[in-house]
Each structure stands twice: as C-alpha cells, then as structure tokens.
Amino acid sequence: MIMTNTQYFNSIEFERKFHCSASLGAFPSAAGTVFRLWAPLAETAALRLYRSGDGGRAAEVCDMSPAGRGMWVYETRRNLDGVYYDYEVFSDGISRVTADPYAKACGLNGQRSMVIDLRRTDPPGWAFDSPPPPQPETVIYEIHVKDFNWGYDPVNYNVPEGSYATDPRRGEVRIRELKEAIQSLHQNGFRVILDVVYNHTYLLDSWLWRTAPWYYYRQWEDGGPSNGSGCGNDMASERSMCARYILDSVLYWAEEYHVDGFRFDLWGCLV
C-alpha cells in the first residue's frame, strides 16, 4: 500500500485530479467564515471548534463537505475571529486529529489552530512600514531567537514562536509583537532575513502527514522515510502541492510580516 501510494502521488493522474489552486486555511470576515482543508484521500473530514487554545473538549463539531481537487470546506455566516479549531480527518480506516497546516495563528504549544483577522494584529503605522534603503556595503548577522528569530523544530510553518510572546495563550499577541519587532528594526536601519526550514518537519507525524499521509514526504524503496536532512524525514518538494505549500508560506511571511529576505536551511534537499 505504501509503495502504491508513493507511485500514485508521483503520477500525472494524481496531479490532474488533486492539484488545488484555491486558498487554503481559515478566512473570517463580516460576511462569515470559510474553512478550506486539502486532504485528498480523506473519506470524511470534520471541523472542531474550541473556546480556548488548550484544554477542554470541542464546543462544536461541524461536518465538512468535499469540494473537488481534494479540498474539504465548511462555511458559516458567523465571524469566528478568535475561535480555536482543529480537524478530524478519516482515511484508510484511521481517524486523525490535526491542526491546520495553513493556520496563521494557534493556541498554546501549537496543538490547536486559531481563526484570525490579521488586520487587528497590525501595529500603528504598519501599512507604511518599509525596509531601509540599500547601503553601499551589506553586512549580514545571524542571531539566535533569544536575541531575535531562529529554530529548527518546524511545527506550524506560518505562526511565530509563542514562547517569546508576552502572552503565548493568545494567538494574536505573538503576531502583533513580531510585527512590532520587525517595524522597529526597519526604523533603526536593519533589514530582516528569516531563517526558514522547509526541508523537514519536527516529526513525521506532522499536520501535513495527518491531512495527507505520506504525500508531503519522500520515501526509500523499502517504504521508510527518506532522511537526507538528518532529521528523520524529508519534504517531497518535487510534488506540486508540497511546492505550493512552501511558496505560499514564503510569500505570506514576505507580505504579511514585511520580511525582507530568506535563508533556506539545507536548500539542496528542496531542489
């Protein structure tokens, strides 16, 4: 079964049937909230809503509907900004609970995603923030997150680390405070380069795995995970939805956080 799936994931048939170009994640607005999850081999999918970012049972469970191209959708007229959520995905006879791989905010320790209106995380003057002009000489510093932003445990690729926020239980706080830090660096003549780690996930049992088992990962001929990264797994960046995930993430950091550049960890694993 593992090898059959590997061959299927690499096939033109899978690409034509399941490549999805729709925006994925949770999108709140005055008109309501839309949730879109890419889980191509799922038989059923459910959205689970919570009152807090950690602990407690789901306050509400909502069945999602298949929408083609491997996408599952739930729409409501309620604006769920600030509500926490995860998904329950059933495939191959197994039910898996997962956070949203496309989440922009999360609760404590990142196990539960959060719906977020990103405009309310913008500090004053954010719309006018811009990097300082280029100088005759470029000097690049590499600084640890205890002093500024670093980490090789990628769990939620599009969410800032919460342990450095003044209130890690509130998903919006870490976003606003990172924007404030970048804004301050720009005002003081520094550009910001983000160190990104798309070559592997913290564990093979990641949100990407739970929504699409094996799709995002390379495998050896015996079916085990490839380990060119030395971290236990390798992302299959040659597959279109994996490549799209990486591109979407990089663009998000550049556009939403005004990041000026990127340093890709183990770039050779991605090409």
Side-chain angles (χ1 to χ4, degrees), residues 27-266:
F27 305 93
S29 71
T33 307
V34 179
F35 296 84
R36 300 191 190 100
L37 172 71
W38 191 72
L41 300 184
E43 299 167 41
T44 63
L47 168 70
R48 312 194 312 174
L49 303 177
Y50 300 84
R51 294 187 177 92
S52 66
D54 64 301
R57 296 183 177 181
E60 187 176 349
V61 178
C62 311
D63 291 334
M64 304 184 77
S65 301
R69 297 285 179 179
M71 186 170 62
W72 295 81
V73 176
Y74 176 77
E75 298 186 46
T76 176
R77 293 183 178 179
R78 296 172 292 168
N79 185 338
L80 297 179
D81 177 36
V83 172
Y84 292 89
Y85 70 100
D86 62 20
Y87 296 112
E88 185 171 12
V89 180
F90 184 81
S91 62
D92 292 332
I94 300 173
S95 180
R96 298 178 177 91
V97 172
T98 177
D100 186 349
Y102 270 84
K104 303 299 192 300
C106 68
L108 190 66
N109 297 322
Q111 299 300 299
R112 204 170 278 172
S113 304
M114 176 183 167
V115 182
I116 185 72
D117 176 0
L118 289 164
R119 296 291 63 79
R120 71 182 176 93
T121 69
D122 293 345
W126 183 246
F128 304 101
D129 173 70
S130 61
Q135 300 299 311
E137 182 180 12
T138 298
V139 179
I140 299 176
Y141 293 89
E142 184 172 359
I143 304 177
H144 190 274
V145 74
K146 281 293 185 182
D147 299 313
F148 284 98
N149 230 343
W150 165 301
Y152 289 126
D153 292 342
V155 176
N156 293 291
Y157 277 100
N158 299 313
V159 183
E161 169 60 40
S163 62
Y164 309 105
T166 57
D167 188 352
R169 292 186 179 275
R170 294 173 55 199
E172 73 277 12
V173 171
R174 64 179 77 185
I175 299 174
R176 182 183 303 113
E177 291 180 345
L178 178 55
K179 288 180 177 180
E180 289 172 346
I182 293 173
Q183 185 180 45
S184 179
L185 286 165
H186 283 166
Q187 291 171 350
N188 285 278
F190 293 93
R191 294 183 174 220
V192 178
I193 298 173
L194 188 66
D195 198 354
V196 290
V197 188
Y198 295 110
N199 59 77
H200 74 282
T201 53
Y202 178 60
L203 295 172
L204 183 66
D205 183 25
S206 66
W207 312 143
L208 294 169
W209 165 269
R210 294 186 187 186
T211 54
W214 285 115
Y215 175 80
Y216 290 95
Y217 296 92
R218 296 179 184 138
Q219 295 171 261
W220 297 116
E221 292 183 358
D222 64 4
S226 170
N227 189 25
S229 67
C231 299
N233 61 82
D234 295 331
M235 292 276 274
S237 57
E238 65 276 9
R239 294 176 181 156
S240 69
M241 287 301 290
C242 186
R244 183 207 154 169
Y245 183 82
I246 295 170
L247 178 59
D248 284 347
S249 181
V250 169
L251 290 174
Y252 172 70
W253 284 104
E255 294 168 357
E256 185 64 35
Y257 287 90
H258 301 179
V259 168
D260 304 300
F262 299 89
R263 178 264 179 186
F264 284 81
D265 180 60
L266 292 178

